[in-house]
Amino acid sequence: MAHYSGLGDIFFTAPVAFGIVGALRKFLDLPKRLPRWNPLLTWIWVPVLVLYLAAQAFDFWSPKLGDAYWLLVLGMVMAVLLAVRDYRPARSLLLAMGPLVLYKLVEYVLETPQGKVPKQYDSALDTTQAFVIIWLVTFILIARNQKKTLEKERLLREEEEKAKRLIEAQNAQLEHLVAERTAALTNQAEELRAALTELRTTQAQLIQSEKMASLGELTAGIAHEIQNPLNFVNNFAEVSAELVTELEEEREKPARDLELEADLLADLKQNLQKIHQHGGRAASIVRGMLEHSRASSGERVPTDLNQLADEYLRLAYHGLRAKDKTFNATLKPDFDPALPPVEVIAQDLGRVLLNLLTNAFYAVKQRQQRAEPGYAPTVSVSTRRVGEEVEIRVKDNGTGMPESVQAKIFQPFFTTKPTGEGTGLGLSLSYDIITQGHGGTLAVESREGEGTEFVICLPL
């Protein structure tokens, strides 16, 4: 057990204390944890110098002054540990220093002014000193392991923070890329929206063009078809005028022939009925043209499909003949007389029939131009009831179509006609009118070189 007995021993104690404090500063990283206290610890040697100068000046020295210096050093160490007690290794060192400080206090109290401890306490103090040393070393090792663990945790946290910053940087970069991509997609969407608007406008114009084309076909047919009732009206009107003249002459005669007057009146009445009948026929044709040309109301009304099909069969035929007077074809209407009225949008279904029949006459005309021996252009329209459906068939013995064409025949803008003779929308619009507008079906059956048949099925 060490005791300080002379002035020179304190100069041995000072370096040891300075080394302990230096190790503590390094171990606890006091420059960072206690920036204010850290500079003061470097002056731990000042009390030694003061004691030395005092001893020289007053020619006095007591061994207990050295122990007091040790207690001062231990007190400063305890104060430092308490200041950084939030640091786990510092708490372990605080526990390690507790028994040592207590031991030094007891030893200081028991020592005589000459620095001696009574013999009766030597054994107990030696045992206590051994325990204190073991306790101190144990907790120093624990604190050292704790510091290593904390250092590993710190490094791990730094790695995590580094990874987190890297992820944040990558996220920021990704967000930037996403923002750029979103802006690009937004621009593309705007361009597509503008293109779609333009496409719809163009589509509406093409649909209108197709309607005008069919209206032209219809007008040509009407001009030819309306000529018959107008001729009848003109002829009967002329005959009626002659009958009126005869009747007036007969009434001016002194001896009137009442029987002749009655016959003339009867003929006049019959002529007026014929004029009314053919005038009604002409009015019906004009009304059909107006219904075809105006926008569809979308309202379904009970319609005589036989009359509608027959009317458009003749209109389509005469429309083609108005363009080519040399063209002739056989018309074969075959209508079911028991067919009930069907609720349809008449002007829309009329457009479909006109389109199918115009295509049929075009096909037979194309085949006729090949000058095949014995060929007779024929177009037929038939109606019949099949269960709860009505079937309309438009058939021709024209050029026909290969299977590759049949697969695309209802696609928009697809046409087999030469450029300038078709828009490619007629059959597409017809398909939409039948399937979407009436809930029916439109199918095609064709053999190349033999003819084509379109089949319309409408629910009753």
Side-chain angles (χ1 to χ4, degrees), residues 84-157:
V84 293
R85 61 185 177 276
D86 291 338
Y87 186 45
R88 189 164 47 182
R91 291 198 297 272
S92 297
L93 290 178
L94 196 60
L95 288 173
M97 295 295 295
L100 178 60
V101 171
L102 183 60
Y103 169 79
K104 295 301 290 184
L105 281 172
V106 171
E107 186 184 48
Y108 183 79
V109 170
L110 293 177
E111 280 184 348
T112 63
Q114 291 75 27
K116 301 292 185 178
V117 177
K119 289 185 178 180
Q120 64 266 31
Y121 299 115
D122 276 349
S123 177
L125 288 176
D126 287 342
T127 303
T128 303
Q129 185 183 44
F131 170 75
V132 166
I133 292 172
I134 294 172
W135 179 274
L136 181 65
V137 170
T138 300
F139 274 90
I140 287 174
L141 293 175
I142 290 174
R144 183 170 173 270
N145 289 333
Q146 287 175 340
K147 183 177 180 181
K148 288 183 177 180
T149 302
L150 290 175
E151 186 66 18
K152 290 180 180 178
E153 292 176 355
R154 182 185 65 81
L155 293 174
L156 182 61
R157 282 196 304 272

Side-chain angles (χ1 to χ4, degrees), residues 46-241:
V46 171
V48 174
L49 181 59
V50 172
L51 288 174
Y52 176 77
L53 294 175
Q56 290 292 332
F58 298 103
D59 194 19
F60 171 77
W61 176 256
S62 172
K64 294 191 70 172
L65 292 176
D67 291 335
Y69 173 71
W70 263 112
L71 288 173
L72 175 64
V73 172
L74 292 176
M76 289 185 65
V77 170
M78 291 292 285
V80 169
L81 293 175
L82 283 171
V84 293
R85 61 185 177 276
D86 291 338
Y87 186 45
R88 189 164 47 182
R91 291 198 297 272
S92 297
L93 290 178
L94 196 60
L95 288 173
M97 295 295 295
L100 178 60
V101 171
L102 183 60
Y103 169 79
K104 295 301 290 184
L105 281 172
V106 171
E107 186 184 48
Y108 183 79
V109 170
L110 293 177
E111 280 184 348
T112 63
Q114 291 75 27
K116 301 292 185 178
V117 177
K119 289 185 178 180
Q120 64 266 31
Y121 299 115
D122 276 349
S123 177
L125 288 176
D126 287 342
T127 303
T128 303
Q129 185 183 44
F131 170 75
V132 166
I133 292 172
I134 294 172
W135 179 274
L136 181 65
V137 170
T138 300
F139 274 90
I140 287 174
L141 293 175
I142 290 174
R144 183 170 173 270
N145 289 333
Q146 287 175 340
K147 183 177 180 181
K148 288 183 177 180
T149 302
L150 290 175
E151 186 66 18
K152 290 180 180 178
E153 292 176 355
R154 182 185 65 81
L155 293 174
L156 182 61
R157 282 196 304 272
E158 288 180 355
E159 289 294 328
E160 289 176 350
E161 287 294 328
K162 184 178 179 181
K164 183 179 179 181
R165 287 193 297 271
L166 180 60
I167 291 173
E168 289 176 351
Q170 291 176 343
N171 287 340
Q173 185 177 6
L174 287 174
E175 288 176 359
H176 179 68
L177 292 175
V178 168
E180 288 183 348
R181 186 59 177 164
T182 302
L185 289 175
T186 302
N187 291 335
Q188 290 179 359
E190 291 296 332
E191 292 175 359
L192 288 174
R193 196 174 291 110
L196 180 60
T197 302
E198 185 178 354
L199 180 62
R200 285 175 176 170
T201 303
T202 304
Q203 183 183 30
Q205 292 173 348
L206 286 172
I207 291 173
Q208 186 63 27
S209 174
E210 177 65 26
K211 288 182 179 179
M212 294 305 295
S214 65
L215 182 60
E217 297 284 348
L218 180 65
T219 303
I222 286 174
H224 194 281
E225 182 73 7
I226 206 172
Q227 192 64 45
N228 280 337
L230 288 178
N231 287 338
F232 278 110
V233 168
N234 291 333
N235 291 336
F236 282 113
E238 184 178 349
V239 172
S240 297

Side-chain angles (χ1 to χ4, degrees), residues 18 32 61 145 232 246 253 260 294 329 333 361 376 378 406:
F18 190 80
K32 183 187 295 185
W61 176 256
N145 289 333
F232 278 110
E246 291 183 21
K253 292 179 180 180
L260 177 60
R294 73 167 60 101
F361 283 117
T378 304
Q406 295 179 50

Side-chain angles (χ1 to χ4, degrees), residues 224-452:
H224 194 281
E225 182 73 7
I226 206 172
Q227 192 64 45
N228 280 337
L230 288 178
N231 287 338
F232 278 110
V233 168
N234 291 333
N235 291 336
F236 282 113
E238 184 178 349
V239 172
S240 297
E242 293 176 357
L243 290 175
V244 169
T245 301
E246 291 183 21
L247 182 60
E248 289 176 345
E249 291 175 354
E250 187 63 30
R251 291 180 64 181
E252 291 176 357
K253 292 179 180 180
R256 295 170 57 185
D257 188 346
L258 297 179
E259 184 177 351
L260 177 60
E261 288 182 6
D263 290 339
L264 290 174
L265 288 173
D267 290 342
L268 183 61
K269 182 178 180 181
Q270 185 178 8
N271 288 349
L272 291 175
Q273 288 176 347
K274 292 291 184 181
I275 290 172
H276 176 73
Q277 177 184 349
H278 290 288
R281 171 61 180 158
S284 172
I285 295 172
V286 172
R287 185 169 56 253
M289 180 185 70
L290 293 175
E291 287 179 355
H292 184 86
S293 62
R294 73 167 60 101
S296 172
S297 64
E299 182 179 355
R300 298 189 187 189
V301 295
T303 304
D304 185 349
L305 296 187
N306 291 341
Q307 180 182 349
L308 189 71
D310 183 63
E311 183 175 336
Y312 278 95
L313 172 64
R314 301 185 185 284
L315 291 177
Y317 175 58
H318 291 305
L320 188 57
R321 275 183 52 80
K323 295 179 182 179
D324 184 1
K325 299 294 185 182
T326 63
F327 174 72
N328 287 290
T330 302
L331 308 184
K332 287 188 175 181
D334 181 14
F335 302 129
D336 183 356
L339 194 69
V342 181
E343 289 191 355
V344 296
I345 306 171
Q347 55 267 46
D348 286 355
L349 186 57
R351 289 192 182 104
V352 173
L353 290 172
L354 183 63
N355 184 270
L356 298 181
L357 289 164
T358 301
N359 288 341
F361 283 117
Y362 179 85
V364 298
K365 181 183 177 184
Q366 292 297 111
R367 186 174 177 183
Q368 185 185 45
Q369 291 175 349
R370 297 177 184 176
E372 297 179 12
Y375 174 69
T378 304
V379 174
S380 65
V381 179
S382 63
T383 61
R384 63 172 180 165
R385 178 172 180 170
V386 181
E388 294 302 314
E389 292 183 332
V390 172
E391 189 178 83
I392 305 174
R393 291 178 175 265
V394 177
K395 185 177 181 181
D396 66 72
N397 63 345
T399 55
M401 295 179 288
E403 291 185 3
S404 59
V405 172
Q406 295 179 50
K408 299 181 288 185
I409 196 66
F410 296 119
Q411 293 179 7
F413 308 111
F414 177 79
T415 180
T416 58
K417 296 179 181 179
T419 303
E421 293 191 25
T423 62
L425 284 173
L427 288 176
S428 173
L429 291 174
S430 299
Y431 185 83
D432 290 342
I433 289 172
I434 297 300
T435 58
Q436 298 179 18
H438 291 81
T441 60
L442 176 59
V444 60
E445 301 171 5
S446 183
R447 282 191 175 184
E448 190 172 9
E450 295 184 14
T452 301

